[in-house]
Amino acid sequence: MERRSRGMSLAVLAAAAAFLVATAMPAPGEPALSPDYYKRSCPNLESIVREEVTKKKNETVVTIPATLRLYFHDCMVGGCNAAALIASRNNDAEKDASDNMSLAGDGFDTVNRAKIAVEKQCPGVVSCADILALTARDVVYLANGPYWRVELGRRDSLVSKASDVKGKLPDPDMHVKELATLFQKNKLSMVDLVALSGAHTVGFAHCSRFANRLYSYNSRTHTDPSFNEVYAEQLKQACRPDVGPTMAVNMDPVSPVTFDNLYYTNLVKGQGLFTSDQVLYTDEVTQPIVEKYAANQTAFFVDFVSAMIKVGRLGVMTGNDGEIRRVCTAFNH
């Protein structure tokens, strides 16, 4: 019964995703992308990438959140152009920025492995930006999340600067107004904001990222009162005041390696790990969206796919702009 139900659900989602790709046309002036971009030049692209992502995911489930987060961090800073993948000898590339220091190495490794495999069959054809977009879709799908056709045709950046990152990415302590301002700069709606936050249904966070909510919330109370009391005590057991910098806990305490809607159910119960998570429920503007997703996983999946398609169009270079890197960690020149 489970297998049949998931198959039917995926069929509905696949149809919805196809509709979204077909109807959510790029705005005037935006470069055109297409899921069929490599149909002739690299026909086995998606199966090559999927195989590498599957291998990596079977080695460590950290692959799932690490790859998804890497994609988001790349696209939100100057567009989806693989600038976040560049390794600089001077430690001055995007990945060296303080906001990117917490990006797990497994995300980079996933993309680099996929690129090596693709180059063996289609040398000099597929951009690292497109491979990153495909790996992000694949980790979601392999974690029992939705599937969608990824728009392709991006080129890789010729620049990667740590100084470009500041102020472009969400912070764990942000509230809805601050988050909305950040997303609106990228023409992403409030629905997109709440749907993309659902990516926190997988992955983990270091204790230092939310310790202030447990021990130093404000002058009147040490612990954020929006926390579920039982959950807060569990977190305190895992994240004691003197805990080491490497200690981490799951973002979703219920199903941390499954891409589902329990993130939103957790928010309703006061089990959001970051301030930026829990405020989505406590803020009256976003609360109805959270409640909708908590009650309807398919609605969350459809909106998440729509938001991911929008993110994938941010600041892309096409045609003769940029380059097709030979390796994802270095410019060709």
Side-chain angles (χ1 to χ4, degrees):
M1 291 297 292
E2 280 188 351
R3 187 172 300 172
R4 181 182 301 174
S5 175
R6 173 164 165 74
M8 292 175 63
S9 177
L10 287 175
V12 172
L13 288 165
F19 175 78
L20 287 167
V21 171
T23 58
M25 299 301 293
E30 286 187 0
L33 303 173
S34 169
D36 297 320
Y37 185 82
Y38 299 105
K39 187 174 182 178
R40 289 194 176 92
S41 59
C42 193
N44 297 322
L45 170 62
E46 297 208 25
S47 61
I48 298 169
V49 172
R50 178 74 55 78
E51 181 178 356
E52 293 304 315
V53 174
T54 302
K55 289 178 184 177
K56 179 65 180 177
K57 181 248 183 184
N58 289 341
E59 291 175 15
T60 172
V61 293
V62 176
T63 299
I64 300 166
T67 306
L68 188 54
R69 189 162 176 250
L70 175 59
Y71 173 71
F72 184 74
H73 278 228
D74 183 59
C75 292
M76 290 291 282
V77 180
C80 304
N81 55 22
L85 301 177
I86 290 294
S88 168
R89 293 180 179 177
N90 299 321
N91 296 322
D92 58 358
E94 279 189 21
K95 68 180 295 188
D96 301 305
S98 58
D99 287 344
N100 282 334
M101 294 302 290
S102 61
L103 290 173
D106 290 297
F108 296 95
D109 190 44
T110 301
V111 179
N112 291 333
R113 287 194 192 185
K115 174 64 170 176
I116 291 170
V118 170
E119 284 293 304
K120 289 179 180 178
Q121 291 196 32
C122 311
V125 172
V126 184
S127 69
C128 295
D130 279 343
I131 290 176
L132 177 53
L134 288 169
T135 59
R137 187 274 312 278
D138 286 348
V139 294
V140 170
Y141 179 67
L142 292 172
N144 292 332
Y147 178 90
W148 66 96
R149 296 194 71 199
V150 176
E151 295 180 328
L152 302 168
R154 302 168 188 81
R155 303 269 290 184
D156 297 324
S157 71
L158 298 172
V159 177
S160 180
K161 296 180 180 179
S163 58
D164 289 339
V165 177
K166 188 174 182 180
K168 304 287 181 60
L169 297 169
D171 184 89
D173 295 324
M174 282 184 173
H175 288 255
V176 169
K177 286 184 179 179
E178 298 167 291
L179 292 167
T181 298
L182 193 66
F183 277 66
Q184 286 166 1
K185 289 179 180 178
N186 288 297
K187 299 180 181 179
L188 296 169
S189 69
M190 199 70 80
V191 171
D192 297 328
L193 161 61
V194 180
L196 289 168
S197 296
H200 283 177
T201 191
V202 292
F204 61 89
H206 291 98
C207 295
S208 59
R209 302 288 279 176
F210 57 88
N212 61 312
R213 294 189 69 204
L214 295 175
Y215 299 110
S216 56
Y217 182 65
N218 61 33
S219 59
R220 295 185 303 274
T221 177
H222 294 306
T223 304
D224 186 340
S226 66
F227 257 136
N228 175 292
E229 291 184 6
V230 174
Y231 183 51
E233 288 304 314
Q234 292 172 343
L235 290 174
K236 288 178 181 179
Q237 290 299 313
C239 299
R240 298 183 181 279
D242 59 348
V243 72
T246 60
M247 183 62 191
V249 299
N250 292 322
M251 295 291 294
D252 177 350
V254 181
S255 56
V257 296
T258 301
F259 197 95
D260 54 27
N261 69 330
L262 290 186
Y263 166 80
Y264 301 101
T265 304
N266 295 337
L267 296 186
V268 174
K269 296 178 180 178
Q271 295 178 330
L273 193 59
F274 293 157
T275 294
S276 58
D277 293 317
Q278 195 57 50
V279 293
L280 298 179
Y281 183 68
T282 57
D283 191 294
E284 63 181 11
V285 175
T286 49
Q287 187 179 92
I289 308 173
V290 171
E291 291 176 335
K292 175 184 176 181
Y293 295 159
N296 187 334
Q297 179 166 278
T298 299
F300 161 47
F301 280 4
V302 169
D303 285 351
F304 179 80
V305 167
S306 174
M308 287 292 281
I309 292 171
K310 291 181 184 179
V311 168
R313 293 172 177 168
L314 294 178
V316 298
M317 295 182 293
T318 59
N320 294 320
D321 293 334
E323 65 181 5
I324 303 296
R325 288 186 208 144
R326 290 185 288 271
V327 295
C328 293
T329 56
F331 303 119
N332 291 342
H333 58 278

